[in-house]
Amino acid sequence: MQILDGKKTSEDIKNEIAAEVQQMKANGEKVPHLAAVIVGNNGASLTYVGSKVRSCEQIGFDSTLVALPEETTEAELLAKIKELNEDDNLDGYIVQLPLPKHIDEEKILLAIDPQKDVDGFHPTNFGRMALEMETFLPATPFGIMELLERYKVETSGKHTVVIGRSHIVGRPMSILMSRKGNPGDSTVTLTHSRTKNLEEYTKNADIIITALGVPEFLKADMVKDGVVIIDVGITRVEDASNSKGYVIKGDVDFDGVSKKSSFITPVPGGVGPMTIAMLLKNTLLARKIRSRK
């Protein structure tokens, strides 16, 4: 069994990007500029956006944090997005979700310029991904593909079972794993909350990618020997014995399933760190695309 170490891999990617940025500076080129928009005071969102800004500083990107109050109206946020779309100094930006309930998230995501949508959520980019064209891939699925590639996990002709059909992870994962190339060329089964007899699928899977959000859902008796496990789940579980009062659990019963796995991601330290690294990689791509014009 080999651990797919997202923490180490994400640091490797950041170092590679930092070296490329240094070369851009040496050549007198503009360095990538990423902005993050956050509305309100959601604690988890603030932490996540803060880590994105620190990562930008770490690798030499320019970064801008646009922090708007909770009471910001939809019209005011749309005006800010228009401003960011028209800012030639900016290569890409993200709007941190969730947004306050009085703002229509779909309307906001549709307003983002697809050429600056480094989260890869805009329908234009989603469509380009499905058609195997150059685009910004959603960061978490992109990170999973990068892990599979760097650890030389064989995916061609394999049966991949994806658990969860969210637009952020499950659905794009099912598309990426079935695309031509490496990683890819898999036969994919997309399962979800309405799937009957889920174990019939997981027991026959060569690769399982789970993004369900149910702690330790996937047990050892649900998988076959040699399976590759990608655990996207991340749930806080109360634990009085822990100094924080909780522990982070994935969708997979790690102790049991790891004994049967050929490769497995830990939680934390697996897929999570890769997400920010791939957001940075998307921003670097955005800069390169803009510099071609």
Side-chain angles (χ1 to χ4, degrees):
M1 184 272 292
Q2 188 172 0
I3 295 286
L4 297 172
D5 189 341
K7 195 170 181 185
K8 179 190 178 298
T9 306
S10 68
E11 288 304 316
D12 291 345
I13 291 166
K14 287 179 188 175
N15 290 336
E16 291 162 14
I17 296 173
E20 202 165 335
V21 171
Q22 281 300 112
Q23 191 58 53
M24 292 169 89
K25 283 181 178 174
N27 295 344
E29 299 169 25
K30 181 187 177 301
V31 300
H33 185 174
L34 174 68
V37 180
I38 185 165
V39 184
N41 297 305
N42 180 301
S45 293
L46 286 166
T47 302
Y48 192 46
V49 168
S51 64
K52 288 174 182 174
V53 170
R54 283 192 300 278
S55 293
C56 283
E57 291 166 357
Q58 180 187 338
I59 62 171
F61 280 14
D62 289 336
S63 66
T64 301
L65 176 60
V66 181
L68 302 172
E70 181 83 22
E71 58 273 14
T72 299
T73 65
E74 190 178 277
E76 287 168 337
L77 181 54
L78 285 168
K80 175 54 71 174
I81 284 172
K82 184 172 185 289
E83 188 183 308
L84 296 173
N85 286 345
E86 293 170 357
D87 184 350
D88 278 341
N89 192 40
L90 194 64
D91 298 302
Y93 68 95
I94 60 123
V95 177
Q96 185 64 38
L97 304 177
L99 291 168
K101 287 187 170 58
H102 63 275
I103 296 176
D104 182 340
E105 286 186 357
E106 185 176 294
K107 193 181 284 188
I108 299 305
L109 292 177
L110 285 171
I112 296 170
D113 179 351
Q115 294 182 328
K116 292 188 176 185
D117 165 43
V118 288
D119 256 338
F121 292 160
H122 194 282
T124 296
N125 290 326
F126 206 94
R128 289 179 69 88
M129 172 186 69
L131 294 170
E132 304 188 25
M133 298 165 73
E134 181 182 61
T135 193
F136 307 120
L137 301 179
T140 300
F142 192 6
I144 292 167
M145 298 298 278
E146 194 80 10
L147 274 177
L148 293 171
E149 183 177 352
R150 288 182 182 237
Y151 279 88
K152 297 181 169 56
V153 177
E154 184 58 59
T155 62
S156 178
K158 302 296 184 182
H159 181 204
T160 297
V161 170
V162 179
I163 307 175
R165 55 181 165 181
S166 75
H167 295 166
I168 293 172
V169 181
R171 203 173 296 274
M173 231 29 264
S174 69
I175 294 168
L176 290 169
M177 289 300 286
S178 66
R179 294 199 319 181
K180 292 174 185 171
N182 182 50
D185 283 326
S186 262
T187 300
V188 181
T189 303
L190 179 61
T191 67
H192 46 79
S193 59
R194 298 293 178 90
T195 301
K196 292 178 180 174
N197 305 319
L198 181 64
E199 286 183 37
E200 290 180 15
Y201 299 101
T202 58
K203 281 178 178 174
N204 290 307
D206 301 307
I207 302 167
I208 298 174
I209 302 167
T210 174
L212 202 59
V214 179
E216 300 188 326
F217 168 82
L218 193 72
K219 306 291 186 187
D221 62 0
M222 297 170 69
V223 305
K224 69 179 184 181
D225 288 330
V227 68
V228 176
I229 299 286
I230 306 291
D231 189 351
V232 189
I234 183 159
T235 307
R236 283 188 180 190
V237 178
E238 286 184 24
D239 184 347
S241 67
N242 190 285
S243 58
K244 292 179 180 175
Y246 66 88
V247 289
I248 299 292
K249 296 278 189 183
D251 287 354
V252 177
D253 175 10
F254 186 89
D255 291 343
V257 174
S258 62
K259 292 180 175 67
K260 297 177 80 171
S261 307
S262 55
F263 294 90
I264 189 168
T265 57
V267 176
V271 174
M274 294 295 294
T275 300
I276 290 178
M278 305 323 282
L279 178 70
L280 300 173
K281 202 161 182 174
N282 274 342
T283 306
L284 180 61
L285 174 61
R287 171 86 298 268
K288 287 177 178 177
I289 291 171
R290 287 170 69 77
S291 68
R292 292 176 202 157
K293 294 177 181 177

